[in-house]
Amino acid sequence: MNIHEPATSLKGVGPKKAEALKKLNIDTLEDLIFFFPRDYQDRRNRVNICDLKEETASVIKAKVQLIVKDRYKQGRKQILRLLISDDTGSLEVVFFNAKYLQNSFQKGNEYMFYGRPVLNFGKLQLIHPDFSKEGSRGEGILPVYPLTKGVTQREMRSWQHLTKELWGEAEDFLSPGIVESNRLCSLEYALENIHFPEEKQKLLEAKYRLIFDEFLVLQTGLFAARQNIKKGGRGIALSKDVDVKPYVDSLPYPLTGAQQRCVNEIVKDLESDIMMNRLIQGDVGSGKTAVAEIAMYKAAKCGYQAVMMAPTEILAKQHFEGFCKGFGNHSIKVGFLSGSMKASARRQVLQGLAGGQIDILVGTHAVIQQDVEYKNLGLVITDEQHRFGVNQRVRLKEKGHDPNVLVMTATPIPRTLAVILYGDLDISVIDELPPGRQQIITRDIRGKDRNKCYKLIERELEKGRQGYVVAPLIEDSELLDAKSAEQLAQELKERFGRYSVVLIHGAMKQSEKDDIMEKFYNHEIDLLVATVVIEVGINVPNATVMVVENAERFGLAQLHQLRGRVGRGKYQSYCMLITENESEIALERAEIMASSSDGFFIAEEDLKLRGPGEVFGTRQHGLPDLKISDLAKHMKVLNVAKDQAKKILQEDPKLEAAENQPLRRRVVKLFGEDFQLNL
Ligand code: ADP
Ligand code: MG
């Protein structure tokens, strides 16, 4: 066996299993070895049956006294019941639909059972426990792998066992010097103990090593990406003589206190000759755009260009329209750039930028394309920055000579994490919504009461309003999503025959999506059925209903973002969260959503309910996916790895040394081929 062979070279892995493994990103045996458990079951401490507690996972050793096979569902399915006992008591074990297990047990034999007992009619029961013959593998600390349909825990464990001999072959990208100076264990030891730890201490050593590895790769990539962004670097100082007051006065509303504070901080940054590197955090609807406009006004009036990059075409277009209105009266020329523009129109914009006739540019990531040249870029802004990858942000900045940088987001990020993502940056928070915002009525609805939602939609459409229905998410497959959403869209089309109901889903081409969003914006569509989280930041004030199917599948922060798509105009708006789930956590979540409209509070509560790993998922911040490390949990290791990454890059800034090639490959693997450019 060789580590680069495909997974199918393992016993028991045929084409079907290989297909399932692919979903877990496992193609080769190496991928398998680097596929780590998400948890462990400690089966070393056995308890007596009389000491079992409800809902507490435990191991027992017991003898099978009785085996009963029942049929149910018109005889098509079998239920297997065992009565087991030890010296202290007896217990029922149940397996549903368990034909395949029917010969697994023999009366009178002893087995180990591992499971979480539940109470049934006042008696404890084990339902589908793990089991093994006494003395076989199945004792000790067992790994629990994240799985997908078509792969069982048993199979995964056995495959991991089969590849044991390859642990020593895995490429170690750390030099012996680094391993030693950081007091890390060997890679082979780490692999052995991450999969099958003998004891907790060894598992911890293994974890530390693997987390260190992953963070080192991450940090090396991030540093490489922003090698020239240094805290305190000299930047462009804008003239103190240019006041932003004329622009502020021309806004149709007074700034909120929080906006004003934020503007002051930005203006101070802009006027200093130290490069601005600032993050604006502000809840959905808190008015970040106006703050950005003021900054751009200042840059333009000081003779510099400013550019704002938005994640979607429709959002960029909305900004463009707003800017044209806002800046028109101040004789500032605004340009727009996107991927779908005609060549001639695009050429004109490029000329305007290079020649300096355009003062402010807004667009999609088209604004960072190679042939886009600016005359004198003084300020770069990313809107909804969590939607952009590291590369894109860096490339935007490199369009100018040390321009001032402003990034805006509605996702609250803890300070520590922000530092990793953006380097040493300053943060401004807009923690106040403009006055007079109406409360969005939020309701938690059971699936069977779906009709209530439909009645509401009908009422609103009749009044001339618009609405969104976010369709259920199924697994991770966009194709599956599209299918179930299509069904839902079909039903809604029938139900709301008089109105224009249109589906938008993730598998569509971008141009198609843009087209639909545009139509919705122009009220040519009444009801939008969407699988994708509806384009961030989009502003359709006429939309008043947001229905979210399978709301339990979304994080609270995400639900809050979705809800933020309505209630943007003068009309009373509604958010209906449909769940099938009545668990305590689901109810608690619904309660939080219904009782609060404060994004920061909601994010905090989300953190409490789901833990940092879920909430600050790397996806949300444009970071690559991490396998084993958790930015929020493993801060200490992160800092150690950070220092090491710095050291490596100080000696070899472009990772050109022969000994750094394995590291370089890992960085490119983590960040994607595109990343070569930054090295
Ligand atoms: P976000 O922070 O989500 O990007 P926007 O900048 O899109 O929010 O602002 C949301 C809405 O609030 C816009 O319609 C904007 O005109 C309005 N707005 C912004 N600031 C104020 C203010 N100080 N007073 C009243 N309305 C405001
Ligand atoms: Mg915005």
Side-chain angles (χ1 to χ4, degrees), residues 283-285 287-289 315 319 383-384 408 410 536-538 568:
D283 203 356
V284 179
K288 294 183 288 292
T289 318
L315 187 53
H319 283 327
D383 190 18
E384 309 290 351
M408 309 201 289
V536 282
I538 184 179
R568 301 179 77 89

Side-chain angles (χ1 to χ4, degrees), residues 454-467 495-496 498-499 523 526 544-545:
Y454 293 171
K455 284 212 176 103
L456 175 75
I457 294 176
E458 192 147 35
R459 211 180 66 207
E460 290 299 304
L461 295 186
E462 216 147 277
K463 282 195 246 165
R465 303 286 87 77
Q466 289 162 277
R495 159 103 206 205
F496 301 105
R498 294 167 41 216
Y499 299 97
H523 201 167
D526 299 295
T544 52
V545 196

